[in-house]
């Protein structure tokens, strides 16, 4: 049962996430009531579906199309953490028929340039993160001592990136990979904490990475292992 203080903290977290989502909507100038309600309540998939329907309509005015492209780009950057998809959305905005000096097109171009510059400035750290993630996701459940040593080294490298770059724009992915490594090492509680921290940074991260499914799996495994340990302790076997 959740305590009163726990309930209060949860309500504050929900309110903060709602405020972040509404700030993104307001910044993009999206005024459609249906879209606003969907994103405000956290129904991101429905909101994205509504945006797509409007963009697929050839009669949608250029200004509204550009506003929605900008909204999607900021949503993918600020809430989802998918910079690749954000970049593709911005390119679609620039490809829209209309004046090249349209203010909203210029905003899309500036945001795309900012994203490209950020990626270049963090190119080395991004490369390390991608390499580690690729190793961690390599299929196979059996791990040798060498594999375990490599995972520990990878964890240390990720910690170094966090220390050297506290404002690293892909910190949510870094936390996610930390969770994957701890999951492989059987450190279920630590894995759950890292997955949760990744979601705190990007509330809609589940649209990009299977973080919700992994959190559920880790928690189920942790409950089973804890239950087994308690049973053995009660039986006096450990």
């Amino acid at each position: 049962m959740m305590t009163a203080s726990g309930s209060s903290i949860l309500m504050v977290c929900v309110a903060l996430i709602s405020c972040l989502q509404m700030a993104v909507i307001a910044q993009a100038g999206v005024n459609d009531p249906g879209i606003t309600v969907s994103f405000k309540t956290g129904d991101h998939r429905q909101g994205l579906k509504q945006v797509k329907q409007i963009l697929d309509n050839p009669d949608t005015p250029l200004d509204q199309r550009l506003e929605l492209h900008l909204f999607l780009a900021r949503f993918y950057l600020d809430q989802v953490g998918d910079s690749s998809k954000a970049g593709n959305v911005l390119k679609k905005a620039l490809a829209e028929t209309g004046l090249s000096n349209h203010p909203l097109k210029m905003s899309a171009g500036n945001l795309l340039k900012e994203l490209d510059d950020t990626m270049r400035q963090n190119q080395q750290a991004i490369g390390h993160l991608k390499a580690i993630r690729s190793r961690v996701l390599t299929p196979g459940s059996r791990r040798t001592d060498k594999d375990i040593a490599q995972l520990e080294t990878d964890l240390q490298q990720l910690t170094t990136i966090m220390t050297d770059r506290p404002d690293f724009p892909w910190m949510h992915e870094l936390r996610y990979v930390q969770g994957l490594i701890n999951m492989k090492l059987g450190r279920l509680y630590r894995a759950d904490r890292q997955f949760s921290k990744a979601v705190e940074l990007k509330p809609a991260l589940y649209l990009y990475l299977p973080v919700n499914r992994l959190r559920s799996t880790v928690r189920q495994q942790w409950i089973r292992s804890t239950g087994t340990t308690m049973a053995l302790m009660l039986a006096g076997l450990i």
Side-chain angles (χ1 to χ4, degrees), residues 96-145:
E96 287 281 1
T97 303
L99 297 174
S100 59
N101 63 347
H102 190 292
L104 292 175
K105 270 197 173 186
M106 294 176 68
S107 294
N110 290 337
L111 188 55
L112 182 60
K113 182 180 183 304
E114 182 181 331
L115 177 58
D116 290 341
D117 289 344
T118 301
M119 293 186 72
R120 274 195 298 271
Q121 292 164 7
N122 293 275
Q123 188 173 4
Q124 186 175 12
I126 293 172
H128 290 322
L129 179 59
K130 286 183 177 179
I132 292 172
R133 179 179 172 181
S134 178
R135 278 198 296 272
V136 175
L137 292 176
T138 300
S141 58
R142 300 183 64 181
R143 295 185 301 277
T144 64
D145 290 342

Side-chain angles (χ1 to χ4, degrees), residues 184-215:
K184 273 205 164 185
L185 291 172
R187 300 167 185 166
L188 302 178
Y189 177 71
R190 293 185 186 180
D192 180 59
R193 280 180 57 83
Q194 296 301 342
F195 290 142
S196 296
K197 287 179 180 178
V199 173
E200 287 174 12
L201 292 169
K202 303 293 179 184
L205 182 62
Y206 71 93
L207 293 172
Y208 173 41
L209 299 170
V211 65
N212 288 351
R213 177 175 59 81
L214 290 175
R215 276 201 301 179

Side-chain angles (χ1 to χ4, degrees), residues 32-132:
D32 186 286
I35 295 175
T36 300
V37 169
S38 294
F39 282 96
K40 183 178 179 180
T41 58
D43 192 358
H44 305 118
R45 295 188 192 281
Q46 178 61 24
L48 291 173
K49 181 179 178 181
Q50 291 168 317
V51 171
K52 184 177 185 301
Q53 288 173 342
I54 296 174
L55 288 174
D56 286 345
N57 184 351
D59 295 327
T60 300
L62 176 63
D63 282 5
Q64 187 178 7
R65 299 178 68 84
L66 292 174
E67 285 173 354
L68 288 173
H69 281 311
L70 281 170
F71 162 70
L72 283 180
R74 292 191 177 104
F75 174 72
Y76 282 122
L77 284 174
D78 300 338
Q79 301 289 304
V80 182
D82 189 344
S83 54
S84 177
K85 185 159 286 187
N88 289 336
V89 170
L90 290 170
K91 290 174 184 176
K92 287 182 180 179
L94 294 174
E96 287 281 1
T97 303
L99 297 174
S100 59
N101 63 347
H102 190 292
L104 292 175
K105 270 197 173 186
M106 294 176 68
S107 294
N110 290 337
L111 188 55
L112 182 60
K113 182 180 183 304
E114 182 181 331
L115 177 58
D116 290 341
D117 289 344
T118 301
M119 293 186 72
R120 274 195 298 271
Q121 292 164 7
N122 293 275
Q123 188 173 4
Q124 186 175 12
I126 293 172
H128 290 322
L129 179 59
K130 286 183 177 179
I132 292 172

